[in-house]
Amino acid sequence: MPDYTIPAASTVVDSALFRDAFGTRAMRDIFSDGALVQRYIDVEIALAKAEARAGVIPAEAAQTIARESRIDRIDFEQMREETDIVGYPILPLVHQLVRMCGEAGRYVHWGATTQDIMDTAVALQVRDGLDIIDADIRALRRILADLAKAHRDTPMAGRTHLQQALPVTFGYKVAIWLAMFDRHQQRLAELRPRIALVQFAGAAGTLASLGDHGFAVQRALAEELGLGVPATTWHVARDGLAEAVNLLALITGSLGKIALDIMIMASTEFGEVYEPFVKGRGASSTMPQKRNPISSELMLAASKAVRQHAGLMLDAMVQDFERATGPWHAEWIAVPESFILTAGALHQARFALGGLIVDAPRMAHNLGISRGLIVAEAVMMQMAPHIGRQQAHDIVYDACRTVNEAGGTLAEALLALPAVTRHFDRAAIERMVDPANYLGLAPQMVDRALALSAQVDDRLGNQRGAGPGFDAGNMPLTS
């Protein structure tokens, strides 16, 4: 028999060992069993209030239901046993709420179906989860903006196909990361009104059990919970939740890209950046010299897991008729884990990037290891007006071969060619082969990225008051 005094969680999102590596307390709290059941109760109470407002049930009954339906009175063991039998938690919950509310209990869950309560509760969880993601992305963007600004002019080797290509700046690299999260911030704002929607439509989605009161109750329920009203039921139209999880996959995908860059740049042979130093973090059990990029590794792992859940959510969109069989259940796995993993990855990113150690001298050293070949294009383009582009290409190509085969630097090889010295003296050649003089518009792109990022904040800040049911143009999405 297992020893139940030892922690028994079996997944990383709940594990006593790994939960803070792969998630955060705040996001776990939103998707915990207790929080979920509380959301079920919130929806049942809001439904009673909405039906009282619409004249469907007595106001006194709604008041009693609101007063007596308390999570501290729930027998969770009994609810677990009944859920295992029924397959869903709502009927077991309703049984207990009916007993709590006495005579008013007859009006609990009036006109609703199980999926109405569960879907609306999930919409509330997702809304709250997106609030955390939104705040984390805003904080990460501030970190990235500061980092890009600080290293606007810090030259380093730009790499394509893992080979040195042309000089860039570290600030330029970070500005690319920043722009990704500017877009994610905008995507999140655009998503909200499509996902923060009430679900109340009855057994087959037609609100038949409430007759002419159906729309009135639906709208009142949405108002009670601060949600929007959908045009039709979304019992089997799961694009909203699928979009939410796929947005999380985009967010963690961007974090995975950043993590991969950091891990490669932190390798011994590169040595250009390091995650913040914390005594013992990233240590090896056998190699004392090791300083592993732990946060980046966790970010990359989360990106892979959420990407799989995004695919699961797309698969779960294929649902049968007016109420699905199994696809709905797959969401119960994918939605909580995706939110928790995304929150964990963002937490790791804020730590790693917030204290990132940037070794500018090492970047400069690495920029010079090609002995000037990284700026061969620059030399060719500056020679072209004097001798023609093709001839300039051929001369520089031969000079590069000389460096690769005989050693020395590109400057030395060029100085040995009369076709070059006829037009350029030593000082001019030294300027041409200085990587810092061939950064293109990288610093200016940093400036532009920072300005556009600030505009995103201004624009989204002005839209925060729109509330559920409105898009970025403040146009109603409700029916």
Side-chain angles (χ1 to χ4, degrees):
M1 293 292 292
D3 183 352
Y4 289 105
T5 63
I6 299 174
S10 55
T11 68
V12 295
V13 295
D14 290 319
S15 164
L17 298 176
F18 299 116
R19 64 190 179 199
D20 290 328
F22 285 96
T24 64
R25 174 68 180 272
M27 193 64 83
R28 287 196 302 272
D29 285 348
I30 288 175
F31 288 94
S32 69
D33 282 342
L36 180 58
V37 172
Q38 182 61 62
R39 282 308 193 186
Y40 293 155
I41 294 173
D42 293 342
V43 177
E44 294 285 6
I45 290 173
L47 176 59
K49 291 180 177 179
E51 290 176 330
R53 287 170 54 185
V56 174
I57 70 171
E60 296 79 8
Q63 293 169 4
T64 300
I65 292 170
R67 182 179 66 250
E68 300 298 330
S69 300
R70 302 202 314 268
I71 194 170
D72 61 306
R73 300 171 69 180
I74 294 292
D75 183 335
F76 273 89
E77 182 58 24
Q78 179 186 344
M79 190 173 172
R80 182 197 63 76
E81 292 175 357
E82 289 190 39
T83 298
D84 192 41
I85 295 170
V86 176
Y88 305 95
I90 301 306
L91 185 58
L93 174 66
V94 170
H95 286 161
Q96 297 197 39
L97 296 183
V98 167
R99 289 195 297 271
M100 289 179 200
C101 297
E103 186 66 20
R106 70 176 72 180
Y107 296 108
V108 171
H109 200 66
W110 191 271
T113 191
T114 288
Q115 195 170 346
D116 287 337
I117 306 303
M118 293 183 68
D119 278 352
T120 301
V122 169
L124 293 170
Q125 286 182 308
V126 169
R127 181 191 66 185
D128 294 346
L130 289 176
D131 285 343
I132 291 178
I133 300 297
D134 181 83
D136 284 345
I137 291 177
R138 288 180 188 276
L140 180 59
R141 286 172 55 232
R142 286 193 293 271
I143 291 170
L144 292 172
D146 289 344
L147 199 57
K149 184 176 181 180
H151 292 280
R152 174 188 186 272
D153 302 306
T154 302
M156 66 176 297
R159 300 174 174 99
T160 62
H161 301 274
L162 290 178
Q163 307 295 310
Q164 288 199 4
L166 290 175
V168 297
T169 71
F170 184 60
Y172 163 82
K173 180 185 290 287
V174 177
I176 292 174
W177 301 345
L178 172 62
M180 290 192 295
F181 282 91
D182 287 343
R183 293 189 289 273
H184 294 325
Q185 195 97 66
Q186 294 174 86
R187 290 183 179 109
L188 195 154
E190 293 161 3
L191 166 69
R192 284 181 181 279
R194 293 193 288 271
I195 189 61
L197 299 173
V198 73
Q199 174 75 289
F200 180 70
T206 63
L207 285 168
S209 63
L210 292 179
D212 293 340
H213 295 288
F215 281 151
V217 171
Q218 187 185 63
R219 187 171 294 277
L221 175 59
E223 291 172 356
E224 290 284 342
L225 295 170
L227 295 172
V229 180
T232 60
T233 179
W234 48 279
H235 281 158
V236 286
R238 314 304 286 183
D239 54 291
L241 288 176
E243 184 183 7
V245 174
N246 275 265
L247 172 58
L248 300 183
L250 290 175
I251 292 168
T252 53
S254 293
L255 292 175
K257 185 272 185 292
I258 293 173
L260 186 59
D261 279 0
I262 291 175
M263 286 189 288
I264 296 175
M265 293 169 69
S267 65
T268 304
E269 290 76 9
F270 282 71
E272 295 177 340
V273 299
Y274 298 97
E275 290 185 3
F277 176 76
V278 175
K279 185 175 175 59
R281 184 171 178 81
S284 165
S285 63
T286 186
M287 294 172 285
Q289 84 279 11
K290 292 294 293 295
R291 183 174 168 185
N292 298 321
I294 297 301
S295 288
S296 296
E297 293 174 2
L298 292 168
M299 289 156 60
L300 185 60
S303 75
K304 295 177 181 294
V306 178
R307 181 168 67 245
Q308 296 302 313
H309 283 324
L312 179 58
M313 291 297 292
L314 294 176
D315 191 281
M317 290 179 66
V318 185
Q319 305 210 359
D320 45 290
F321 297 112
E322 282 65 55
R323 188 63 59 83
T325 46
W328 182 41
H329 301 64
E331 297 176 357
W332 307 354
I333 303 167
V335 173
E337 289 190 7
S338 296
F339 271 88
I340 292 170
L341 289 168
T342 302
L346 284 166
H347 172 73
Q348 297 295 339
R350 289 173 60 185
F351 168 79
L353 293 164
L356 191 69
I357 299 169
V358 180
D359 191 337
R362 184 59 180 263
M363 289 179 175
H365 168 79
N366 290 344
L367 191 53
I369 62 175
S370 72
R371 295 168 292 174
L373 299 188
I374 194 171
V375 287
E377 179 190 75
V379 175
M380 180 188 73
M381 294 307 296
Q382 291 184 63
M383 289 177 57
H386 301 277
I387 60 176
R389 185 202 175 280
Q390 188 58 48
Q391 187 176 359
H393 175 276
D394 294 343
I395 290 173
V396 175
Y397 179 81
D398 289 340
C400 290
R401 287 188 60 193
T402 297
V403 173
N404 285 326
E405 295 172 4
T409 68
L410 180 58
E412 291 168 347
L414 293 171
L415 284 167
L417 298 174
V420 176
T421 56
R422 185 178 303 120
H423 302 282
F424 302 94
D425 60 16
R426 177 180 292 274
I429 292 173
E430 293 290 352
R431 284 194 299 272
M432 283 195 296
V433 298
D434 184 351
N437 293 328
Y438 199 63
L439 297 174
L441 294 175
Q444 290 81 358
M445 287 184 183
V446 174
D447 297 337
R448 184 168 65 179
L450 292 172
L452 290 174
S453 185
Q455 289 178 23
V456 170
D457 284 332
D458 291 341
R459 185 162 61 253
L460 294 183
N462 292 334
Q463 293 169 10
R464 283 182 174 179
F470 293 87
D471 67 8
N474 207 34
M475 295 295 292
L477 292 175
T478 59
S479 60

